Amino acid sequence: MEAAVTTCYRHPSYETYVSCTRCERFICPDCMREAAVGHHCVECVKEGQRSIRQARTVFGGSVARSAVPLVTYVLMGLNVAAYLGELIRPGIIDRFAMLGAGLTGPDGGQYVYQAGDFPGFEVVGVVGGEWYRLLTGAFLHLPPSGSSFGPLPFGVLHIVFNMYALWNLGRVVEEQLGRARYLALYLLSALGGSVLVYLIAPSDGTVGASGAIFGLGAAFYVINRRLGRDMRAVNRFMAGFLIWMVISAGFASWQGHLGGLLTGGIVTLAYAHAPAKRRTVVQAAAGVVLFAVLVLLVVLKTSALTG
C-alpha cells in the first residue's frame, strides 16, 4: 500500500514530507525557517515575532525602529524642499513666515499692526487668523539674497547651520525617544518658539528651524542626565548653546530660541520621568496639556491685541 503524497501548504505542487514543528503543516524548502528544534513555517515565525516584546529605551522608544533616524531625514528633507520652494517663489516667505501681527497696505507694503479698522489695510499674521504661521515659519529659512525677515550676509548659512545641528542632535535624540515622541518634541518646540515670539514681539517676522533645534538641545541635556552619563562634555555643549543664544540675539530671534529651549526641556522631562507602567499615557497627556497651554496663550494674546 502506497503512502499518501503530502504537499506544502503554501505550494500545493511541491511534494514534501517535512512539517512545521509548531503547527505540523507540511512545508517545502522555500517555506522552511530554522528553529531551535526542527523547522517552522512562515506563519508560525511571524506569530512568534509578534509575541516577542520589543526592546525599548527608558523613554519608551523602540530600539530596533530608532536605529535608522527616519524622522530626522524627513524633517531635513522638508526644510530643504521648502528652501528650494523659496528660491523659485520668494513670496512664500512673506506668506508663510512666522508673523504675529502686521498690516498690508494698499500699496502692498508691510506696516506695524494697530488695532482698529483701517480702510484699504489688511490684517495679516496670527492675529488675523493665520495660525498656520506658528509652524510653517519653522520650516522656512533666509534665502541667499536676504529678505525683509533677515540680513543679506546671513543668507544660505542660515539653513546650513540649522540642518547641521538637526543632523547631529536629531539622530541622538530620535534614537532615545523613538519616532513618534521625537516628532512630537520637534513640533512642540517649534510651536513653543513661535508662541514666545508672538507673546513678546508680535510685530517681528521670523523664519528658521532654530526654535525646534534649541528644543532638541534641551532634550539632549535631559536625556543624558536621565541616563546617568558623564555630564562634563554635555555641560560644555549646553554652555556653548546658551552663549550662542545670547550672541545671536543681536541678529536673530532670541524669543524663538528661548521658547523652543524651554518647551523642549519641559517635554523631555515629562518623557524622562513618566512612570514605566503608564509611560505612554502620561507622556501623551503631558504633550496634550502643553499644546493646550500654548494654544491658550495665543488666544489670550490675540484678545489683548485686538482689544
Side-chain angles (χ1 to χ4, degrees), residues 1-305:
M1 184 176 180
E2 294 184 3
V5 176
T6 55
T7 61
C8 176
Y9 81 102
R10 294 179 71 217
H11 305 99
S13 62
Y14 201 107
E15 182 179 344
T16 180
Y17 297 95
V18 179
S19 61
C20 172
T21 54
R22 278 187 80 177
C23 67
E24 298 186 347
R25 288 182 291 193
F26 288 98
I27 49 179
C28 68
D30 289 339
C31 300
M32 292 179 188
R33 301 294 183 268
E34 290 286 344
V37 178
H39 298 83
H40 287 171
C41 65
V42 176
E43 275 72 18
C44 286
V45 170
K46 290 180 179 178
E47 184 64 29
Q49 290 175 340
R50 280 195 294 267
S51 65
I52 297 174
R53 190 172 183 178
Q54 294 290 327
R56 294 189 175 274
T57 68
V58 297
F59 305 94
S62 172
V63 173
R65 294 184 62 190
S66 300
V68 177
L70 179 63
V71 177
T72 298
Y73 292 149
V74 171
L75 289 172
M76 292 179 68
L78 290 174
N79 277 276
V80 172
Y83 192 72
L84 294 176
E86 295 172 27
L87 299 181
I88 298 171
R89 300 188 63 179
I92 288 177
I93 294 183
D94 291 331
R95 185 70 181 84
F96 293 99
M98 171 53 202
L99 177 64
L103 292 173
T104 299
D107 58 352
Q110 299 294 320
Y111 298 87
V112 176
Y113 172 80
Q114 295 291 331
D117 186 20
F118 298 93
F121 286 78
E122 178 187 3
V123 178
V124 295
V126 178
V127 74
E130 297 173 341
W131 282 52
Y132 57 84
R133 290 178 180 267
L134 292 165
L135 276 181
T136 56
F139 289 90
L140 301 175
H141 291 82
L142 297 176
S145 57
S147 73
S148 57
F149 293 96
L152 175 62
F154 206 34
V156 72
L157 293 179
H158 190 206
I159 188 172
V160 170
F161 286 156
N162 277 344
M163 293 304 98
Y164 178 74
L166 175 56
W167 170 245
N168 282 285
L169 283 171
R171 290 179 298 165
V172 177
V173 176
E174 183 176 353
E175 180 183 15
Q176 291 297 326
L177 300 186
R179 292 171 182 172
R181 293 171 180 80
Y182 170 67
L183 180 60
L185 165 72
Y186 187 93
L187 295 178
L188 284 171
S189 297
L191 180 62
S194 295
V195 169
L196 194 59
V197 171
Y198 187 43
L199 295 177
I200 299 177
S203 61
D204 289 353
T206 63
V207 292
S210 302
I213 300 299
F214 271 81
L216 295 183
F220 177 72
Y221 180 82
V222 173
I223 286 171
N224 280 278
R225 283 194 65 88
R226 176 65 178 82
L227 295 177
R229 292 174 175 169
D230 187 347
M231 294 298 294
R232 287 175 293 183
V234 178
N235 289 335
R236 288 195 295 270
F237 164 78
M238 280 306 296
F241 221 54
L242 295 175
I243 291 172
W244 171 247
M245 184 172 69
V246 174
I247 294 174
S248 63
F251 53 85
S253 173
W254 65 267
Q255 299 94 339
H257 294 171
L258 180 60
L261 184 77
L262 294 175
T263 305
I266 292 171
V267 172
T268 315
L269 282 171
Y271 287 167
H273 298 289
K277 292 184 178 180
R278 295 178 295 166
R279 180 167 51 201
T280 301
V281 174
V282 172
Q283 290 173 340
V288 171
V289 170
L290 181 56
F291 176 76
V293 170
L294 293 175
V295 170
L296 178 61
L297 291 174
V298 173
V299 171
L300 294 175
K301 182 63 177 182
T302 300
S303 178
L305 288 173

